[in-house]
Amino acid sequence: MGSRKVTSSEPLDWQGKRVTVAGLGVSGIPAAKALHARGAVVTVVNDGDDARAREQAAELEALGITVRLGDGATLPEGTELIVTAPGWKPDKPLFTAAREVGVDIWGDVELAWRLRGQDGRKAAPWLAITGTNGKTTTTQMLASILKAAGLRTAAVGNIGVSLLDAVLGDEPYDVLAVELSSYQLHWAPSLCAHSAAVLNLAPDHLDWHGSMEAYAADKGRVYEGNRIACVYNVADKATEDLVREADVEEGCRAIGFTLGAPGPSQLGVVDGILVDRAFVENRQKNAQELAEVSDVDPPAPHNIANALAAAALARAFGVPPNAVRDGLRAFTPDAHRIAHVADVDGVAYVDDSKATNTHAAEASLAAYESIVWIAGGLAKGASFDELVAKSAKRLRGAVLIGADRALIREALARHAPEVPVVDLDRTDTGAMLQAVTEAKRLARPGDTVLLAPACASMDMFTNYNKRGDAFAEAVRELGS
């Protein structure tokens, strides 16, 4: 890690500044309102021009904000700054035009970072989390731990409360647990967190970033300017490489987490106990017990890793050990994240509809010994060979659904030819009941029927929540 001196942002004079906000929605509307309230001359541009967009535009126009619907490509004349929704791709014509005339492009995270601590509010430190999988769970775990320590906090960013609302609202926070996507980090050039973690790295959103290298670089931005700790995954060398490349404040430490016994400056697991050898005196010889594996819900390996990452960030902030334990015990995971639905005839049915890519599905499959796997959907360009090869010995059978199920079927034929496969040639929502019925037929007492699709849901369902709900309903019909 390199060292640098990080200074806080100077207050900005927004009066009369001509700002273009790119995109309506959860980030664009709060950004437009916040900038307008500070005297900026705001123009919102949006690609869409549907009924919802017109309704949102009317709300902003009533405040005196200009809105251009159906025209997200043209740079408004006189623009001095663009604040973009995180999902807008860097190669959009609007951004190309802005770069040609030297106009800066920020995301809503960058805007929140610049506005924090202004208007007389306290600037709460940020504990930031990113990674291909596990971000939301880890951020929520961290917030639960911080609350158990008596700190005023919230899980914000890519989940829950928007960062702008958090930094500009009346609630005085002591610290914020901040989930950040690769999109958000791409547009956040001056962010400097108190401490940050990259949980893991696997190919994802490559159509947006252009390459795995660009995707990793945007994830690694979360470490830039860190003051206290850069938390990385010992089992994922790419995350440690990002720490080595980061330019941080002098004295910032690299802190690893591992499912094995931790070395100095690491958190890990010993005899079913989560232990800290990073934030203790004489870490060469001493370790601090934090919690038991059984305090983590669910105690699947990837979720224990999430808990260790959350604990590392909390300990970097000075949280005592008992708060780590109490916070993990108090944490309840969101629906559709490796959630136990029911036991039917000695078989466990588990909903991990949130496993929308191969990396997440691999972690889910690793949590169980004998599995009937329900998988399929939209592959988003993924390959399934590595996933199937690693998981083959755990598979009792597989039931495939969705538009791209053939890709998984072919990987199973190559790497697990002895595993029985049911290929359901359906993409209607009713296919889930048939899938669960077929899985019940393949399962034996002691098995787990696991919905871990490794694919997106939009070929059959509105989102992964609806897919998980359909699975749970089908399981309930089995048991009725």
Side-chain angles (χ1 to χ4, degrees):
M1 295 188 294
S3 295
R4 70 173 179 182
K5 179 66 176 175
V6 179
T7 56
S8 60
S9 302
E10 293 296 322
L12 297 170
D13 181 9
W14 294 101
Q15 194 65 42
K17 192 174 182 71
R18 304 185 72 84
V19 183
T20 294
V21 173
L24 289 164
V26 294
S27 64
I29 291 174
K33 289 180 177 178
L35 291 164
H36 176 72
R38 282 156 183 77
V41 179
V42 180
T43 299
V44 179
V45 298
N46 193 66
D47 285 335
D49 185 11
D50 55 19
R52 176 64 176 150
R54 289 192 289 274
E55 180 183 325
Q56 293 169 325
E59 177 188 352
L60 295 178
E61 287 169 341
L63 299 174
I65 296 169
T66 301
V67 182
R68 295 184 184 177
L69 297 178
D71 181 16
T74 307
L75 183 68
E77 188 175 349
T79 297
E80 298 173 80
L81 173 70
I82 291 177
V83 176
T84 180
W88 283 42
K89 294 176 67 172
D91 61 0
K92 294 274 285 189
L94 176 72
F95 303 144
T96 300
R99 284 187 285 264
E100 286 175 353
V101 293
V103 171
D104 287 336
I105 306 167
W106 297 356
D108 62 318
V109 170
E110 178 71 14
L111 181 62
W113 178 253
R114 299 288 189 118
L115 291 178
R116 82 204 189 290
Q118 297 184 19
D119 302 340
R121 295 172 174 85
K122 176 187 174 185
W126 292 12
L127 300 175
I129 295 165
T130 195
T132 303
N133 292 300
K135 297 185 293 297
T136 297
T137 297
T138 304
T139 304
Q140 292 171 332
M141 282 180 170
L142 174 58
S144 184
I145 292 168
L146 295 169
K147 287 174 184 175
L151 295 164
R152 295 170 298 183
T153 190
V156 300
N158 200 40
I159 56 171
V161 179
S162 83
L163 262 170
L164 271 173
D165 289 341
V167 301
L168 298 179
D170 294 330
E171 180 74 23
Y173 293 110
D174 297 311
V175 59
L176 292 172
V178 185
E179 177 189 334
L180 295 173
S181 71
S182 56
Y183 300 166
Q184 289 172 314
L185 286 163
H186 179 88
W187 301 117
S190 70
L191 168 66
C192 298
H194 173 286
S195 298
V198 180
L199 304 176
N200 43 60
L201 279 176
D204 204 14
H205 305 303
L206 301 191
D207 57 337
W208 195 95
H209 292 276
S211 69
M212 184 63 195
E213 292 73 22
Y215 172 66
D218 280 333
K219 288 292 192 187
R221 238 234 57 77
V222 79
Y223 289 136
E224 293 296 316
N226 279 201
R227 293 196 292 113
I228 303 299
C230 294
V231 177
Y232 67 92
N233 184 348
V234 173
D236 191 335
K237 185 178 180 298
T239 65
E240 186 176 5
D241 291 342
L242 292 178
V243 175
R244 295 184 191 283
E245 295 161 9
D247 192 11
V248 300
E249 194 165 343
E250 188 172 353
C252 183
R253 295 170 58 201
I255 305 296
F257 64 90
T258 173
L259 294 177
S265 294
Q266 294 180 354
L267 282 74
V269 181
V270 178
D271 296 332
I273 305 293
L274 276 60
V275 298
D276 172 5
R277 286 190 67 187
F279 302 101
V280 293
E281 291 186 13
N282 192 6
R283 56 184 178 271
Q284 295 296 329
K285 296 182 179 180
N286 294 337
Q288 171 67 55
E289 294 187 8
L290 298 176
E292 296 184 11
V293 165
S294 59
D295 293 324
V296 180
D297 179 22
H302 69 285
N303 209 40
I304 296 165
N306 293 338
L308 288 164
L313 290 172
R315 294 287 283 160
F317 197 69
V319 165
N322 65 314
V324 175
R325 178 201 63 209
D326 294 346
L328 290 175
R329 287 178 177 175
F331 170 71
T332 302
D334 282 351
H336 314 300
R337 286 172 168 82
I338 205 160
H340 180 266
V341 175
D343 290 320
V344 179
D345 298 332
V347 175
Y349 289 78
V350 175
D351 167 16
D352 198 15
S353 184
K354 181 65 169 66
T356 58
N357 57 43
T358 57
H359 190 263
E362 181 184 328
S364 191
L365 288 162
Y368 304 98
E369 292 300 319
S370 183
I371 301 163
V372 177
W373 181 29
I374 299 178
L378 288 177
K380 300 181 296 182
S383 166
F384 298 90
D385 289 276
E386 183 177 355
L387 168 62
V388 171
K390 287 183 176 180
S391 307
K393 65 182 184 297
R394 299 175 180 273
L395 297 179
R396 166 86 68 184
V399 181
L400 305 181
I401 59 176
D404 293 331
R405 64 190 180 281
L407 297 173
I408 306 175
R409 184 184 67 236
E410 291 160 7
L412 285 161
R414 284 189 289 269
H415 302 288
E418 73 289 350
V419 173
V421 176
V422 178
D423 186 336
L424 298 182
D425 186 15
R426 296 175 61 177
T427 55
D428 61 290
T429 55
M432 187 61 78
L433 177 58
Q434 186 181 353
V436 169
T437 303
E438 293 290 346
K440 180 179 187 293
R441 184 177 60 79
L442 292 172
R444 301 290 179 268
D447 288 351
T448 298
V449 172
L450 175 65
L451 174 68
C455 292
S457 60
M458 288 79 74
D459 59 329
M460 296 172 64
F461 300 94
T462 308
N463 51 43
Y464 73 81
N465 297 288
K466 296 293 186 184
R467 179 170 61 188
D469 291 342
F471 174 79
E473 180 59 33
V475 172
R476 282 191 287 271
E477 287 199 29
L478 283 188
S480 61

